[in-house]
Amino acid sequence: MTHALILVVDDDHEEQIIFKEVFSEQNYHSVLYFDSAQGALAYLTGLHSEALFPKLIISDINMPKMSGIELLQQIRSTSVYKGIHFVMLSTANKREYGEACSQLGALEFIQKPDTFAEMKNLARYFTALANGVPQPPFQQKPLCVTL
């Protein structure tokens, strides 16, 4: 079975390790990891075929040089990337983040899970979403802002 490509953009190396573990537990290996928004954007602009585009980008908000919100702005300003789902993650659960993400066209803003079990649930949600399986908004802490 071919899996749709997912990009994970997070400057926190430990977060990337956790993502690798939870995706690996699901035998989902079609994931590329970037430690900066600039790296992810450079990768996307280097692709010459929409068939190679990821189906989902999962990005942290707070990163140096270019934030996840700025990455989302760049991606949404380029029409060829309109079909890519975008989910924003953050350790902070601020309503203004959710509102900004919604206005820019993110599918959801989700607070990063506190436990490995919650992260596994989130990874299952992401893999289904990337592969076109309709999903209701991710259920988590009451303060989560669903877009």
Side-chain angles (χ1 to χ4, degrees), residues 40-60:
L41 196 55
Y43 170 79
L44 283 173
T45 57
L47 297 175
H48 301 291
S49 169
E50 288 185 38
L52 301 175
F53 287 177
K55 297 297 182 201
L56 174 64
I57 296 173
I58 304 161
S59 180
D60 185 25

Side-chain angles (χ1 to χ4, degrees), residues 3 21-28 120 123-125 127:
H3 291 134
E21 287 179 26
V22 295
F23 283 128
S24 182
E25 279 190 13
Q26 295 181 51
N27 289 322
Y28 201 98
K120 286 172 33 174
R124 281 191 286 278
Y125 170 75
T127 57

Side-chain angles (χ1 to χ4, degrees), residues 40-97:
L41 196 55
Y43 170 79
L44 283 173
T45 57
L47 297 175
H48 301 291
S49 169
E50 288 185 38
L52 301 175
F53 287 177
K55 297 297 182 201
L56 174 64
I57 296 173
I58 304 161
S59 180
D60 185 25
I61 287 183
N62 296 312
M63 294 182 287
K65 297 184 183 175
M66 179 187 279
S67 72
I69 291 175
E70 291 169 313
L71 174 62
L72 176 58
Q73 286 174 316
Q74 290 287 321
I75 288 172
R76 290 297 180 242
S77 69
T78 306
S79 62
V80 72
Y81 302 137
K82 294 283 187 204
I84 300 173
H85 294 303
F86 201 106
V87 175
M88 196 69 72
L89 296 178
S90 180
T91 53
N93 196 353
K94 297 183 178 178
R95 182 162 299 283
E96 60 267 20
Y97 285 166

Side-chain angles (χ1 to χ4, degrees), residues 97-117:
Y97 285 166
E99 291 168 0
C101 294
S102 176
Q103 290 173 355
L104 292 169
L107 190 61
E108 283 193 76
F109 166 74
I110 299 172
Q111 185 175 8
K112 289 181 181 178
D114 294 327
T115 68
F116 192 74

Side-chain angles (χ1 to χ4, degrees), residues 19 89 110 113 117-127 138:
F19 270 113
L89 296 178
I110 299 172
E118 290 173 336
M119 192 63 151
K120 286 172 33 174
N121 288 336
L122 186 58
R124 281 191 286 278
Y125 170 75
F126 287 149
T127 57
F138 185 72

